[in-house]
Amino acid sequence: MDSQLPPLVPGTLYLVATPIGNLEDITLRALRTLRECDVVAAEDTRRTGQLLKYFGISRPILSCYRFNEARRSEELLERLGRGEKIALVTDAGSPGISDPGERVVRAARRAGRRVECVPGPCALVAALTASGLPATEFHFIGFLPVKSGQRRRLLESLLPVAGTLVFYESPWRIEKLLGELAELLPDSTVVLARELTKKFEEILRGTPAELLARAQQRPLKGEMVVLVSRAATSRGPAEETEIDGVEAVNPNLAVGSH
Ligand code: SAM
């Protein structure tokens, strides 16, 4: 089959989405791109090394993370200029969404290099589609600033915005976010999508205060997406859904876990 597909194009930066937990979620095209590229640029070389090893792929890996992405972008541009085929992967999900992929893509586009997307898993899309909240209009905020004043100002600026709000949040700050939402949007419906596609996948729904009480009772761990809706159709009796997760092929290799 593979031999009938067109080969990778020299001088192209391929944005390869990788699983957010369940290794079975990798696409056939992602595997072929990783197998056929000249080099893999990765946010975490150890983690990507594990992923490649799991799929029996052996390619050189270059590190490209938040603190070296400016310098590394230059090197990647030079390599693309020499006709290399580069696969860019981040720790999990779609490169370019709240991770170092964005800057590299911008640099490549500015330099007139070819950029191709190899789409696949994305935590934002997985959470939004499973949430049951309105998805016709949604606003992706990503990670909020860490500093309280900046967070507050950003959250306040979102009050008039219609549609479902989608945040990425760390387990260390989840109670803080739920507290802020309880103050600013007490009547909203919040869905907290945790450890998606992993063994302990869980989707919780409630008002900000209900979920805060829940988090204070039993700390919420792992990776999570927080979705907030003010639409009347989202409301209803406080409801909580726990979903049995689909077990990862090998939970130790779950690339979405920290
Ligand atoms: N580019 C990736 C994407 O869009 O899929 C996201 C990268 S960002 C650095 C990582 C954040 O994505 C986590 O802090 C969490 O908010 C979210 N995330 C990643 N994997 C997840 C999972 N399995 N379940 C829930 N949220 C996840």
Side-chain angles (χ1 to χ4, degrees):
M1 266 295 271
D2 277 2
S3 60
Q4 293 166 4
L5 295 168
L8 300 190
V9 179
T12 302
L13 177 70
Y14 290 90
L15 306 178
V16 181
T18 55
I20 59 169
N22 189 326
L23 295 176
E24 282 188 312
D25 291 338
I26 198 149
T27 68
L28 295 176
R29 187 163 164 238
L31 288 176
R32 187 168 74 89
T33 307
L34 292 170
R35 218 180 290 122
E36 294 181 6
C37 67
D38 294 301
V39 66
V40 178
E43 187 176 2
D44 179 336
T45 53
R46 196 184 59 88
R47 202 171 163 117
T48 298
Q50 287 177 333
L51 179 77
L52 296 190
K53 189 164 174 220
Y54 182 82
F55 288 107
I57 296 171
S58 168
R59 296 317 300 141
I61 305 177
L62 277 179
S63 80
C64 181
Y65 57 96
R66 209 170 121 218
F67 297 108
N68 78 351
E69 61 182 331
R71 187 163 43 83
R72 194 57 99 192
S73 295
E74 289 302 312
E75 181 182 343
L76 296 178
L77 292 184
E78 271 174 40
R79 284 173 175 265
L80 290 169
R82 293 201 296 266
E84 288 194 14
K85 296 152 277 180
I86 301 176
L88 177 69
V89 303
T90 49
D91 283 356
S94 299
I97 306 287
S98 302
D99 62 28
E102 187 179 348
R103 186 196 281 241
V104 180
V105 173
R106 208 176 304 125
R109 288 243 174 250
R110 227 184 277 130
R113 302 289 176 230
R114 211 169 161 272
V115 179
E116 220 180 275
C117 181
V118 182
C122 178
L124 146 71
V125 175
L128 182 64
T129 50
S131 70
L133 295 178
T136 314
E137 179 178 351
F138 67 90
H139 298 270
F140 177 62
I141 319 299
F143 292 105
L144 285 166
V146 176
K147 290 192 178 152
S148 298
Q150 290 173 7
R151 282 171 77 87
R152 183 78 187 195
R153 275 194 294 283
L154 179 55
L155 284 170
E156 280 173 356
S157 75
L158 295 169
L159 293 179
V161 174
T164 299
L165 304 174
V166 188
F167 301 91
Y168 283 168
E169 189 52 285
S170 103
W172 319 117
R173 279 186 284 277
I174 188 62
E175 288 186 32
K176 185 178 168 90
L177 176 58
L178 292 171
E180 289 161 334
L181 294 173
E183 235 182 272
L184 293 170
L185 292 163
D187 298 327
S188 59
T189 301
V190 176
V191 169
L192 202 150
R194 200 174 72 80
E195 294 288 87
L196 292 170
T197 80
K198 300 187 203 175
K199 189 170 179 180
F200 299 108
E201 173 172 319
E202 185 177 51
I203 296 188
L204 304 170
R205 173 192 295 262
T207 63
E210 284 164 349
L211 291 186
L212 179 60
R214 167 73 188 252
Q216 285 166 342
Q217 236 172 31
R218 173 170 68 84
L220 296 168
K221 295 187 187 146
E223 310 217 66
M224 50 193 82
V225 181
V226 176
L227 306 101
V228 183
S229 171
R230 288 141 296 168
T233 49
S234 312
R235 298 206 188 96
E239 168 199 341
E240 178 183 290
T241 319
E242 290 206 8
I243 297 178
D244 286 336
V246 182
E247 252 185 74
V249 177
N250 177 349
N252 295 325
L253 274 175
V255 290
S257 60
H258 282 302

